[in-house]
């Protein structure tokens, strides 16, 4: 059922709840709506209570006078979790939503039981430089963003806020950051999922896996650690939600 709750920042965050069971929060990628997550929320809702959110300025959630950042959006999600009385949840984020989910685990560790990191980067230079250069040219009327614009207008009911969202997203994607130290300090179980043709090399996902204690002789001898790594074959960033045949069983096993 669609609802909205006011967070501590004053943001009226839109969210949808479906399913019954242990809660998992789903966070879409940048410029995306819940609808653009395809069948992932409904697939997870077969065995879980899914709380799908639309962060600041995305879809049904109106903008506020604040830049977009994964840290701010993570704080908003944490406030929503507390407001709903959920205490500790699993969290699944895609792309920019993955960065938001990661920051939620970093900044609010008591709120997160398990983290699913879908097609995200934990430091800005992990992404191909050509992709970062492309993101720096984002504009409201860019043809490649037409589907996102349509989804935004369908959700918000107006194109009025679209230019501001695109500009704030452009600035967010051009920021320099490195969360390596914070990643290495995480204690929650983490599932990293990348496409084999993603916006970053598979080596970046492997680097995050290693920071979390994976890819060592200890794990090779049977001591499975807190991290998992999956690489989806024949998958790029923009077709990620079309690979639910591969993705859902992996997520269900990890979250279960």
């Amino acid at each position: 059922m669609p609802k909205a709750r006011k967070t501590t920042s004053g943001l009226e965050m839109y969210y949808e709840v479906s399913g019954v069971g242990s809660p998992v929060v789903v966070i879409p990628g940048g410029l995306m709506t819940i609808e653009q997550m395809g069948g992932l929320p409904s697939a997870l809702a077969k065995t879980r209570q899914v709380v799908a959110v639309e962060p600041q300025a995305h879809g049904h959630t109106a903008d506020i006078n604040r830049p977009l950042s994964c840290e701010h959006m993570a704080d908003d999600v944490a406030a929503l979790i507390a407001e709903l009385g959920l205490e500790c949840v699993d969290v699944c984020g895609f792309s920019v939503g993955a960065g938001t989910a990661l920051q939620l685990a970093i900044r609010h560790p008591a709120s997160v039981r398990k983290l699913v990191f879908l097609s995200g980067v934990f430091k800005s230079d992990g992404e191909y430089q050509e992709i970062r250069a492309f993101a720096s040219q984002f504009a409201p009327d860019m043809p490649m963003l037409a589907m996102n614009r349509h989804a935004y207008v369908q959700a918000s009911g107006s194109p009025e806020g679209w230019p501001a969202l695109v500009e704030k997203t452009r600035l967010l994607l051009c920021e320099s950051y490195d969360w390596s130290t914070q990643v290495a300090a995480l204690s929650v179980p983490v599932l990293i999922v990348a496409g084999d043709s993603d916006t970053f090399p598979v080596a970046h996902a492997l680097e995050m896996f290693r920071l979390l204690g994976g890819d060592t002789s200890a794990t090779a001898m049977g001591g499975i650690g807190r991290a998992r790594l999956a690489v989806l074959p024949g998958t790029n960033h923009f077709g990620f939600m079309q690979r639910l045949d591969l993705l859902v069983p992996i997520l269900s096993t990890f979250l279960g």
Side-chain angles (χ1 to χ4, degrees):
M1 179 180 295
K3 298 180 180 179
R5 291 286 182 99
K6 183 171 286 188
T7 70
T8 53
S9 66
L11 182 76
E12 287 278 354
M13 179 178 281
Y14 176 88
Y15 65 98
E16 297 178 0
V17 179
S18 57
V20 179
S22 299
V24 54
V25 174
V26 175
I27 309 173
L31 301 176
M32 292 176 65
T33 63
I34 293 170
E35 183 180 6
Q36 289 181 285
M37 293 297 281
L40 182 59
S42 59
L44 294 176
K46 291 180 180 179
T47 57
R48 309 292 299 272
Q49 181 189 58
V50 175
V51 181
V53 304
E54 288 178 344
Q56 175 189 342
H58 287 73
H60 299 79
T61 301
D63 198 6
I64 58 175
N65 186 21
R66 184 184 70 177
L68 279 183
S69 76
C70 290
E71 292 85 352
H72 286 152
M73 291 187 284
D75 291 347
D76 292 335
V77 175
L80 178 65
I81 291 169
E83 180 72 17
L84 296 176
L86 298 178
E87 297 183 1
C88 189
V89 303
D90 296 331
V91 59
C92 173
F94 171 69
S95 189
V96 172
T100 301
L102 176 57
Q103 280 297 322
L104 179 64
I106 290 169
R107 297 166 70 85
H108 305 275
S111 296
V112 178
R113 188 182 76 102
K114 290 184 178 181
L115 167 64
V116 178
F117 192 76
L118 302 179
S119 195
V121 294
F122 66 93
K123 57 181 180 179
S124 54
D125 64 3
E127 208 158 34
Y128 290 118
Q129 288 307 302
E130 295 86 350
I131 298 296
R132 286 180 59 78
F134 175 71
S136 72
Q137 300 172 25
F138 273 7
D141 57 353
M142 181 177 285
M144 190 171 179
L145 301 183
M147 289 183 63
N148 297 84
R149 182 185 185 279
H150 176 74
Y152 172 85
V153 173
Q154 288 290 106
S156 69
S158 168
E160 184 177 344
W162 174 248
L165 173 59
V166 173
E167 176 61 11
K168 288 187 175 185
T169 301
R170 185 186 70 81
L171 294 174
L172 169 60
L173 296 178
C174 290
E175 288 179 356
S176 295
Y177 61 93
D178 186 343
W179 301 331
S180 299
T181 301
Q182 296 95 320
V183 168
L186 287 175
S187 59
V188 300
V190 179
L191 170 63
I192 306 156
V193 187
D196 62 357
S197 302
D198 221 313
T199 54
F200 51 87
V202 172
H204 180 75
L206 180 58
E207 182 180 354
M208 184 175 182
F209 183 54
R210 286 171 172 160
L211 283 172
L212 291 162
D215 195 35
T216 68
S217 59
T219 56
M221 295 297 288
I224 301 299
R226 68 186 186 281
R228 305 286 185 274
L229 172 63
V231 179
L232 305 184
T235 304
N236 65 23
H237 188 76
F238 307 102
F240 220 84
M241 293 305 149
Q242 280 69 60
R243 301 314 308 268
L244 297 187
D245 57 325
L246 301 176
L247 185 59
V248 172
I250 294 170
L251 266 60
S252 298
T253 299
F254 174 73
L255 295 175

